[in-house]
Amino acid sequence: MSPTTSRPPRRSRPTASSDDSRPYDPRKDPKVIGIALIVFGTLAVAMAGFGSTPVVGGDGGGTVFPFQDVEDDPLEEVRISLEANRTTLRPGESVRFRATYENGSPATGASLSVDGTEHSMDDRGRATVTFDSGGSYTATASQPSTETVRYVADGTIVTVERYEVALAVSANATDVTAGDDVELTVRRADNDEEVSGTVTVGGESYSTDDRGRVVVGVPRADTFEVTASREPTATQRYRSDSVTVTAAHRRVRLAVARNNSELRPGDTIELTLFRTDTGNIVEGNMTVGDRSIRTVGGSATVTLDRAGRYDLEATRSDTRSETFVPVEETLAVRRHAAPVSLSANRTDVEPGEAVRFAAERTDTGAPLTGQLTVSNRTIWLDQRGQATVRFSEPGEVPVVARRANTSTHRFPADRLNVTVRDTSYRVRNVDSPDAVERNESASIAANVANVGSDVGTARVDYRFDGEIVAADSLVLGPGQSETVRFDVPTDAALGTYRQAIEVRDDSVEVDVEIRSSSGAGEDE
């Protein structure tokens, strides 16, 4: 808008009335006339030198009379003042602006610019502007300068506040498992109308459809503040709303497959870790006994050298969305079986007779360095796996060969029975001369009886002077007896000798004298 007056009032002019809109004429201003007379008189006195005080020159060589330069007057500066009846309003409302000069008179020559849009002002320096959209607007009143006057613009800021509408966001589920889909819906809180917008979940933004709905997959286990927002319009701004969605870890059970179900010491077993929900092989960590192994390609190989039960645990690190239930089971490694084989040189004996036993491993044929259990006795086998045992009591005697298990083998015992016959022998009716001539024939006889209940073979020894000089065997049934006879060694030196007839359970001793054939009783 172009100004309607030729020149505004000077800035130094006092205002008579804020409503005085007459053009300003400086030639009629008494203050301006007074200032002009003072300036003119001062210049005249300076030119004539009257009343002046000499000033010593800078070089000290004399006095210099003051001289005053006369320059052109600078541009006169006039400020414009812009007023608004309000600076905060709503869309669709208006603001009345009024521009005045410093003396309060209307700035009829000024124009109004609101964020680059020009608006005309009437002859009273006024303009009314309607604001349709929210925002912050800068309103400026300005006027082009002339050759003698420079106008200083004035401005103000008008804030158009949009109508605030609260949003409401809802979820079809707020306690879910990681990976689940959640449907989110955005509405206006004032009328429950579904509106399009943006929801933010875990730092990711998703646009809804026109009905305000969007389905979002919960990316991980966490507590999420789901926020709904909407871009403002020209007249409305939207207050965000949020809802909390808690996602728990998805529990996935692990399992271990193995290539060998019957484990023996020294066997190598391959263990493979997989998910039970999908069957996919996965990487993880395994602990077998006191050994920790990292899988490669989901598998781990381990050799178990000893029999026993090994705790197996397989784990996998949790992800952001899944937690894995560890595998906890037991691997049973059973010993190799090495049965014992027991043999004997005889299994039918009489009391007092000995049996030689031999034991060996059936898997290798090696001697068994273990022990024998004979009735209630324990007898150790030698390095050859052998032992000799004497039996004294009649009856059926069990004999067991065994060896303690090792870390790799077990030795199933072997047994056999030894029959100890019920035989008992007695020496009766010993018949021997009291004296014989040296080198003459003589004999000793005795009756040997079996007083036991089984058939047996009685060994009969003839002992002369402490030495066994003859022996015989008699097969006797229960209650049977038989006479045995031995020659007396009469070639012995002259003297009296002790004789004995001995069987297993009995013996009878008698003396015999070896005499000289002349009766002198001396050696020839």
Side-chain angles (χ1 to χ4, degrees):
M1 178 186 295
S2 59
T4 57
T5 57
S6 59
R7 182 182 177 122
R10 294 183 182 272
R11 179 176 57 185
S12 58
R13 176 189 176 193
T15 59
S17 170
S18 59
D19 294 331
D20 186 4
S21 59
R22 292 174 298 174
Y24 173 67
D25 188 352
R27 295 172 296 178
K28 298 180 181 181
D29 192 333
K31 185 180 290 186
V32 174
I33 296 173
I35 293 173
L37 292 176
I38 293 172
V39 173
F40 179 79
T42 302
L43 289 174
V45 171
M47 294 293 292
F50 298 112
S52 64
T53 302
V55 178
V56 179
D59 57 0
T63 60
V64 177
F65 289 94
F67 180 81
Q68 186 168 353
D69 291 332
V70 178
E71 297 181 355
D72 293 335
D73 289 337
L75 287 175
E76 183 181 2
E77 185 178 273
V78 176
R79 295 183 178 276
I80 299 175
S81 175
L82 179 64
E83 297 176 354
N85 69 326
R86 60 198 303 189
T87 56
T88 302
L89 61 154
R90 295 285 189 178
E93 296 179 347
S94 300
V95 177
R96 293 194 304 275
F97 295 97
R98 179 171 178 264
T100 59
Y101 296 122
E102 291 179 349
N103 66 347
S105 62
T108 56
S111 62
L112 177 66
S113 173
V114 180
D115 272 6
T117 300
E118 300 295 328
H119 299 270
S120 299
M121 304 191 92
D122 59 17
D123 56 2
R124 294 184 298 170
R126 296 178 180 180
T128 299
V129 178
T130 300
F131 294 85
D132 297 324
S133 301
S136 180
Y137 299 87
T138 300
T140 305
S142 62
Q143 184 172 338
S145 298
T146 66
E147 295 180 355
T148 59
V149 178
R150 181 169 64 86
Y151 296 97
V152 179
D154 190 18
T156 187
I157 295 176
V158 175
T159 301
V160 181
E161 297 180 348
R162 295 175 175 88
Y163 293 100
E164 184 176 83
V165 176
L167 295 176
V169 60
S170 60
N172 65 334
T174 55
D175 289 307
V176 298
T177 301
D180 288 353
D181 289 336
V182 177
E183 184 181 65
L184 303 168
T185 304
V186 181
R187 294 180 174 84
R188 289 176 56 130
D190 55 348
N191 58 16
D192 207 34
E193 176 189 356
E194 295 175 344
V195 293
S196 62
T198 301
V199 293
T200 302
V201 182
E204 296 291 332
S205 296
Y206 305 87
S207 297
T208 70
D209 59 18
D210 293 339
R211 297 181 303 161
R213 299 178 182 178
V214 63
V215 176
V216 177
V218 181
R220 62 183 182 277
D222 204 347
T223 298
F224 298 92
E225 196 74 14
V226 180
T227 303
S229 60
R230 192 168 193 248
E231 291 294 324
T233 65
T235 59
Q236 294 175 334
R237 64 182 181 88
Y238 298 90
R239 188 170 68 246
S240 299
D241 186 34
S242 62
V243 63
T244 299
V245 174
T246 301
H249 281 85
R250 183 179 299 279
R251 289 174 59 85
V252 177
R253 190 171 296 278
L254 297 174
V256 172
R258 47 183 171 170
N259 65 338
N260 188 351
S261 59
E262 294 293 332
L263 297 177
R264 295 288 184 263
D267 287 351
T268 297
I269 181 172
E270 182 177 0
L271 305 171
T272 302
L273 183 64
F274 64 94
R275 302 169 54 128
T276 57
D277 58 340
T278 63
N280 293 337
I281 296 174
V282 294
E283 299 293 349
N285 293 294
M286 294 188 186
T287 300
V288 181
D290 57 356
R291 284 177 283 183
S292 296
I293 310 166
R294 175 68 180 173
T295 63
V296 177
S299 297
T301 301
V302 61
T303 300
L304 302 173
D305 298 325
R306 302 168 61 88
R309 299 180 69 83
Y310 295 83
D311 291 333
L312 167 65
E313 183 180 39
T315 60
R316 175 175 168 83
S317 298
D318 293 345
T319 65
R320 296 194 306 169
S321 59
E322 295 174 321
T323 184
F324 296 93
V325 180
V327 175
E328 293 182 354
E329 58 185 54
T330 301
L331 295 179
V333 181
R334 294 180 172 83
R335 294 175 174 86
H336 295 284
V340 175
S341 175
L342 176 63
S343 61
N345 64 335
R346 57 195 299 192
T347 58
D348 189 351
V349 297
E350 294 187 50
E353 293 182 340
V355 178
R356 187 177 69 253
F357 295 96
E360 64 180 22
R361 295 171 50 159
T362 58
D363 59 339
T364 63
L368 183 77
T369 55
Q371 61 188 25
L372 289 179
T373 300
V374 181
S375 188
N376 59 352
R377 293 180 294 166
T378 298
I379 302 167
W380 291 99
L381 297 167
D382 61 19
Q383 293 297 320
R384 297 174 299 170
Q386 297 180 1
T388 299
V389 180
R390 190 173 299 277
F391 294 85
S392 58
E393 297 296 330
E396 197 79 9
V397 181
V399 180
V400 180
R402 59 169 53 89
R403 178 180 173 178
N405 293 335
T406 66
S407 62
T408 58
H409 288 76
R410 63 183 179 88
F411 302 91
D414 192 18
R415 64 174 289 169
L416 52 80
N417 292 329
V418 174
T419 301
V420 183
R421 297 180 185 179
D422 182 15
T423 59
S424 183
Y425 303 106
R426 297 289 183 268
V427 178
R428 300 171 179 171
N429 305 321
V430 175
D431 181 18
S432 173
D434 295 332
V436 296
E437 292 183 357
R438 189 172 187 273
N439 293 324
E440 294 242 349
S441 294
S443 64
I444 184 172
N447 182 265
V448 177
N450 179 7
V451 297
S453 60
D454 293 325
V455 175
T457 300
R459 174 185 168 88
V460 184
D461 293 328
Y462 169 55
R463 191 180 297 275
F464 182 82
D465 196 23
E467 298 290 335
I468 296 176
V469 296
D472 198 0
S473 294
L474 302 175
V475 177
L476 302 172
Q480 291 181 343
S481 65
E482 189 173 335
T483 299
V484 63
R485 185 178 299 274
F486 299 101
D487 292 333
V488 177
T490 59
D491 57 348
L494 300 180
T496 300
Y497 294 91
R498 176 65 56 89
Q499 300 176 101
I501 301 297
E502 299 176 344
V503 291
R504 185 188 68 217
D505 306 307
D506 195 12
S507 69
V508 176
E509 295 179 348
V510 296
D511 290 337
V512 63
E513 181 183 2
I514 305 298
R515 298 177 178 175
S516 169
S517 59
S518 60
E522 298 178 356
D523 292 338
E524 294 184 353

